[in-house]
Amino acid sequence: MESEGKQPTSIILLGMAGSGKSTVLQRLNSYLHSQKKPPYVINLDPAVRQLNYSANIDIRDTVDYSKVMKQYNLGPNGGIITSLNLFTTKFDQVLGLIEKRKSEVDHILIDTPGQIEIFTWSASGAIITDAIASEVPTVIGFVVDTPRTMAPATFMSNMLYACSILYKTRLPVLLIFNKTDAQDHSFATEWMTDFESFQAALSNRNATSTYNSSNLNEEPSYMNSLMNSMSLVLEEFYSNIKTVGISAMTGAGMQEFFEAVDECREEYYKDYKPELERLRKERQEKSEERKKDSLNRLIKDMKTNDEEPIESDASEEEGETLDAQDMKERGINISNNYDDGTSWPRP
């Protein structure tokens, strides 16, 4: 795959608010610079006040988030969505810049807004993701706050979100367990590979807590039952997903991270790119069918006009005066009097 080797790998970082996406990108950027392989960095968060890294393309250079909010009378989330929509209209220029730098970089790092749903479920987010994935091999890096996922309910929420992103984007998803300097992620990988260990964690949590109005951390019994069921449903998802533990603070796990990215890259070419090509071909075929159908209808209409010309009323063509009865039959409303009160026809 010589042509594939020349393509840089795009890494789109997603994650819940506070999971550390921007800090992870900063660490990845620093690591690649230390390896003498500087990446191409894109910031898609219009609301961020200060970046901890230098971006080659910054949405804030194109769209002023504060002015968008003021001009369209929007709140914070509406302002981010509208800013992304405006930026998407010029995304062909971004693709042109990426095309120029393809041969110079090995990785493209893309930071997204802190509110994950704004990018994941918006039309502009889907357009940007599809556009990049059609140009270069793309990996979705889903950043997880490891200490917070020690709660089974939070862990399950992250897994369900990652699963939905996998099936929505149709791209390889890499689970990035961040902040391993504060909490090792081995418990999470165990829960993903061993259903009984996750069930035991739920049982222990239920046994060590007594439900009362002051205990807000305890999940009701129906939640435990639901999470047990969800863990069984996600078993196939767990078996096909790749995970890696890193620390954006200390830089631990960087080598393992890029090894996992290389595996996802191979998965992209093996499983995802053929699917993307198939979907693109289907869209092109449907577009060609619509164009062909429109052309056929136009030709048919032209033939009909040539063979059966529209007949005009002879009296109108010859300039014959129509009397009141003719006008009435044709639905022409007239008054029998002129403005001066005289009746017609005037002598």
Side-chain angles (χ1 to χ4, degrees), residues 291-307:
K291 291 179 181 178
K292 187 176 180 181
D293 185 55
S294 299
L295 181 60
N296 290 337
R297 287 201 302 268
L298 177 61
I299 294 175
K300 184 178 180 181
D301 290 342
M302 292 175 64
K303 289 182 178 179
T304 302
N305 292 335
D306 291 340
E307 296 172 0

Side-chain angles (χ1 to χ4, degrees), residues 85-115:
N85 291 341
L86 294 172
F87 186 72
T88 303
T89 61
K90 298 184 178 181
F91 203 73
D92 58 324
Q93 300 177 22
V94 176
L95 295 177
L97 294 173
I98 293 176
E99 181 70 26
K100 293 179 181 178
R101 297 293 299 275
K102 271 185 178 181
S103 59
E104 302 175 16
V105 298
D106 293 332
H107 296 91
I108 301 171
L109 305 180
I110 302 173
D111 199 6
T112 58
Q115 294 80 351

Side-chain angles (χ1 to χ4, degrees), residues 64-345:
D64 190 318
Y65 168 69
S66 300
K67 289 184 179 179
V68 168
M69 288 179 60
K70 185 176 181 180
Q71 180 178 353
Y72 296 99
N73 194 26
L74 299 170
N77 290 346
I80 295 175
I81 292 177
T82 304
S83 297
L84 276 173
N85 291 341
L86 294 172
F87 186 72
T88 303
T89 61
K90 298 184 178 181
F91 203 73
D92 58 324
Q93 300 177 22
V94 176
L95 295 177
L97 294 173
I98 293 176
E99 181 70 26
K100 293 179 181 178
R101 297 293 299 275
K102 271 185 178 181
S103 59
E104 302 175 16
V105 298
D106 293 332
H107 296 91
I108 301 171
L109 305 180
I110 302 173
D111 199 6
T112 58
Q115 294 80 351
I116 182 175
E117 66 280 358
I118 289 179
F119 185 83
T120 306
W121 301 108
S122 66
S124 54
I127 292 172
I128 291 173
T129 302
D130 291 344
I132 294 175
S134 64
E135 291 293 326
V136 296
T138 303
V139 177
I140 303 295
F142 186 79
V143 183
V144 179
D145 189 334
T146 307
R148 290 184 182 178
T149 57
M150 293 185 69
T154 308
F155 170 81
M156 185 55 61
S157 297
N158 276 279
M159 294 303 104
L160 289 172
Y161 222 118
C163 181
S164 66
I165 291 172
L166 172 67
Y167 287 105
K168 185 178 189 300
T169 61
R170 300 173 183 266
L171 292 169
V173 174
L174 174 62
L175 287 180
I176 307 169
F177 287 97
N178 188 25
K179 306 180 184 179
T180 54
D181 57 300
Q183 174 62 54
D184 187 75
H185 72 292
S186 57
F187 74 93
T189 55
E190 184 179 0
W191 286 354
M192 294 174 65
T193 55
D194 187 357
F195 166 74
E196 293 182 356
S197 65
F198 181 73
Q199 192 175 32
L202 281 176
S203 301
N204 292 337
R205 184 176 179 83
N206 191 47
T208 55
S209 58
T210 304
Y211 179 78
N212 55 62
S213 58
S214 62
N215 190 351
L216 302 178
N217 292 325
E218 189 222 355
E219 296 90 356
S221 58
Y222 73 87
M223 278 294 294
N224 291 344
S225 176
L226 176 62
M227 285 188 286
N228 269 327
S229 301
M230 289 294 98
S231 62
L232 288 173
V233 171
L234 293 175
E235 186 175 0
E236 183 178 355
F237 167 72
Y238 291 154
S239 62
N240 294 313
I241 205 74
K242 290 180 174 58
T243 63
V244 64
I246 69 168
S247 171
M249 182 65 67
T250 65
M254 290 294 102
Q255 184 177 350
E256 292 80 4
F257 172 84
F258 284 103
E259 288 175 357
V261 167
D262 290 339
E263 293 178 5
C264 290
R265 176 190 173 94
E266 294 177 3
E267 187 179 348
Y268 167 88
Y269 280 115
K270 179 182 178 183
D271 299 327
Y272 292 88
K273 188 176 182 181
E275 179 68 10
L276 292 174
E277 293 294 339
R278 184 186 66 82
L279 293 174
R280 182 190 299 176
K281 186 177 179 181
E282 285 183 0
R283 288 194 294 267
Q284 289 177 348
E285 290 177 351
K286 289 180 180 179
S287 177
E288 291 297 329
E289 287 179 2
R290 286 194 296 268
K291 291 179 181 178
K292 187 176 180 181
D293 185 55
S294 299
L295 181 60
N296 290 337
R297 287 201 302 268
L298 177 61
I299 294 175
K300 184 178 180 181
D301 290 342
M302 292 175 64
K303 289 182 178 179
T304 302
N305 292 335
D306 291 340
E307 296 172 0
E308 299 177 6
I310 300 176
E311 296 181 359
S312 301
D313 191 285
S315 61
E316 295 181 75
E317 291 179 351
E318 296 172 4
E320 182 181 347
T321 303
L322 300 178
D323 60 15
Q325 184 62 31
D326 288 335
M327 291 183 178
K328 187 174 182 181
E329 290 177 355
R330 297 179 186 215
I332 302 175
N333 296 323
I334 63 171
S335 172
N336 289 335
N337 296 324
Y338 290 102
D339 294 336
D340 60 3
T342 60
S343 61
W344 71 278

Side-chain angles (χ1 to χ4, degrees), residues 34-89:
S34 68
Q35 300 295 312
K36 309 299 181 183
K37 298 178 179 179
Y40 198 73
V41 182
I42 301 175
N43 171 49
L44 296 179
D45 188 354
V48 65
R49 293 187 177 182
Q50 185 176 0
L51 291 178
N52 296 326
Y53 53 84
S54 298
N56 298 91
I57 298 177
D58 193 339
I59 186 176
R60 299 177 302 167
D61 295 336
T62 305
V63 183
D64 190 318
Y65 168 69
S66 300
K67 289 184 179 179
V68 168
M69 288 179 60
K70 185 176 181 180
Q71 180 178 353
Y72 296 99
N73 194 26
L74 299 170
N77 290 346
I80 295 175
I81 292 177
T82 304
S83 297
L84 276 173
N85 291 341
L86 294 172
F87 186 72
T88 303
T89 61

